[in-house]
């Protein structure tokens, strides 16, 4: 294998994808109701139904970045064994984790000048990051080096589309995405914000839809308008414990254009704590974000 591929637990990839593509996952630290823990390495590894139910009932979740010491400890044995490293991480627009990985890479460059460590900022989260990670695995299978793969991934990042809606605006209020007044009014009027990952990796509101069904209609319309050659690419859907709606969205997307592969998964708990139960998202590649 031309390089060792790392991701973090924010990539949201199911276990079978991680195993099949030989991807090593570094977990994020979390604090849930005062108890320190780690986010599961894959979404199959936690009870999403219970998690999102408890979150809705008021469970307190605190998240933090992965520190540079953790990255150093993960990367160093690989470099010492004579392999290069490529790490794809969730957006620098929502966490300082990419900076932590870059600090570790700079430290290791002095120890292993003959080896390569490349850090790729996905400018995404959840399965958006996951799609970039899988592209990295594809490039490795094609025989590309870590350096060559990173160059191609930078182009992929520019065209990563991430669109989602949420069921409860109050979770976004708690992370500063909408004001408290807007959240209260939006909840009363059943306004469902449409959000996306922007060109700098921030989560921004790009529309407001009244009612859940219309929000799902809008996700479908966005896919129809923006997806480029979906029959040749993977697309992904994640949900905050609303499987029936996720399956319905999958059917709608397939009716528009059958993708090469469709990954459907419970949304991982790290960023799930910020978007809340009922979040429904679609991820794919288009022309621009």
């Amino acid at each position: 294998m031309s390089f060792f591929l790392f991701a973090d637990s924010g990539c949201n990839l199911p276990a079978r994808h991680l195993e099949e593509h030989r991807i090593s996952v570094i977990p994020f630290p979390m604090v849930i109701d005062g108890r320190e823990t780690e986010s599961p390495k894959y979404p199959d590894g936690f009870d999403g139904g219970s998690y999102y139910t408890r979150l809705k009932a008021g469970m307190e979740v605190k998240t933090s970045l992965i520190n540079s010491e953790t990255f150093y400890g993960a990367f160093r044995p690989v470099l010492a064994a004579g392999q290069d490293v490529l790490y794809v991480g969730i957006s620098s627009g929502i966490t300082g984790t990419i900076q932590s990985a870059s600090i570790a890479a700079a430290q290791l460059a002095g120890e292993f000048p003959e080896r390569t460590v490349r850090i790729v900022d996905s400018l995404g989260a959840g399965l958006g990051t996951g799609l970039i990670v899988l592209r990295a695995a594809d490039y490795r299978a094609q025989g590309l080096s870590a350096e060559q793969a990173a160059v191609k991934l930078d182009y992929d990042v520019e065209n990563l589309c991430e669109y989602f809606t949420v069921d409860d605006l109050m979770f976004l209020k708690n992370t500063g995405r909408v004001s408290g007044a807007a959240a209260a009014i939006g909840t009363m009027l059943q306004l469902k914000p449409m959000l996306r990952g922007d060109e700098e990796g921030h989560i921004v509101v790009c529309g407001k839809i009244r009612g859940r069904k219309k929000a799902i209609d809008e996700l479908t319309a966005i896919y129809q308008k923006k997806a480029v050659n979906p029959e040749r690419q993977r697309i992904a859907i994640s949900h905050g414990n609303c499987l029936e709606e996720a399956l319905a969205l999958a059917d709608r997307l397939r009716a528009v254009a059958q993708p090469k592969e469709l990954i459907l998964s419970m949304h991982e708990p790290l960023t799930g704590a910020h978007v809340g139960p009922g979040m429904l998202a679609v991820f794919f590649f288009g022309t621009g974000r």
Side-chain angles (χ1 to χ4, degrees):
M1 138 171 107
S2 57
F3 56 86
F4 199 95
L5 179 56
F6 283 98
D8 54 59
S9 54
C11 75
N12 209 70
L13 288 172
R16 69 179 183 87
H17 289 81
L18 299 172
E19 293 165 3
E20 177 184 348
H21 296 282
R22 295 169 298 164
I23 300 162
S24 182
V25 172
I26 301 171
F28 271 91
M30 298 177 68
V31 178
I32 299 178
D33 278 341
R35 182 176 63 86
E36 293 185 5
T37 185
E38 291 182 338
S39 60
K41 291 187 176 183
Y42 40 85
D44 324 42
F46 85 114
D47 183 348
S50 172
Y51 178 81
Y52 284 107
T53 298
R54 292 161 58 206
L55 197 61
K56 190 170 186 176
M59 177 177 68
E60 183 182 46
V61 178
K62 295 179 180 179
T63 61
S64 59
L65 55 77
I66 302 171
N67 62 38
S68 59
E69 290 81 7
T70 298
F71 283 113
Y72 181 92
F75 296 165
R76 193 182 188 286
V78 175
L79 299 171
Q83 283 191 277
D84 294 334
V85 164
L86 190 150
Y87 162 67
V88 179
I90 70 171
S91 175
S92 60
I94 58 177
T95 175
T97 295
I98 286 290
Q99 183 179 9
S100 294
S102 298
I103 291 170
Q107 292 174 321
L108 289 162
E111 290 185 53
F112 301 94
E114 73 287 359
R115 299 261 60 89
T116 297
V117 181
R118 282 301 309 260
I119 308 301
V120 174
D121 183 353
S122 73
L123 295 180
L127 281 167
T129 301
L131 291 182
I132 299 294
V133 174
L134 290 176
R135 282 282 175 98
D138 291 341
Y139 296 144
R140 181 177 61 184
Q142 295 167 16
L144 273 63
S145 68
E147 189 69 39
Q148 292 168 330
V151 170
K152 291 180 76 68
L153 291 172
D154 286 341
Y155 172 81
D156 293 328
V157 166
E158 291 177 0
N159 296 290
L160 175 65
C161 296
E162 307 172 291
Y163 287 84
F164 66 100
T165 188
V166 298
D167 195 44
D168 188 342
L169 284 161
M170 302 310 287
F171 287 93
L172 287 169
K173 176 196 76 79
N174 293 338
T175 57
R177 299 303 175 194
V178 295
S179 70
I185 293 169
T187 299
M188 260 192 321
L189 297 177
Q190 291 199 330
L191 290 178
K192 305 302 179 185
M194 195 61 55
L195 302 106
R196 72 179 184 97
D198 73 5
E199 289 71 18
E200 296 179 344
H202 302 116
I203 301 302
V204 295
V205 176
C206 60
K208 294 177 183 177
I209 310 295
R210 179 166 293 184
R212 185 73 167 183
K213 182 180 181 300
K214 288 185 178 179
I216 295 172
D217 291 343
E218 181 65 13
L219 289 173
T220 305
I222 290 169
Y223 171 74
Q224 183 170 18
K225 178 181 178 181
K226 293 185 65 73
V228 173
N229 297 323
E231 68 279 359
R232 296 188 217 160
Q233 64 163 286
R234 302 178 185 94
I235 69 168
I237 293 171
S238 68
H239 64 95
N241 196 33
C242 51
L243 178 59
E244 288 188 10
E245 290 176 319
L247 291 170
L249 177 60
D251 288 341
R252 297 280 301 277
L253 300 186
R254 290 190 185 102
V256 171
Q258 179 69 42
K260 182 180 78 172
E261 179 184 2
L262 193 155
I263 301 169
L264 193 152
S265 175
M266 182 79 74
H267 193 75
E268 51 81 21
L270 178 84
T271 55
H274 301 283
V275 293
M279 184 278 271
L280 184 61
V282 61
F283 308 88
F284 57 90
F285 292 100
T287 300
R289 295 171 70 91

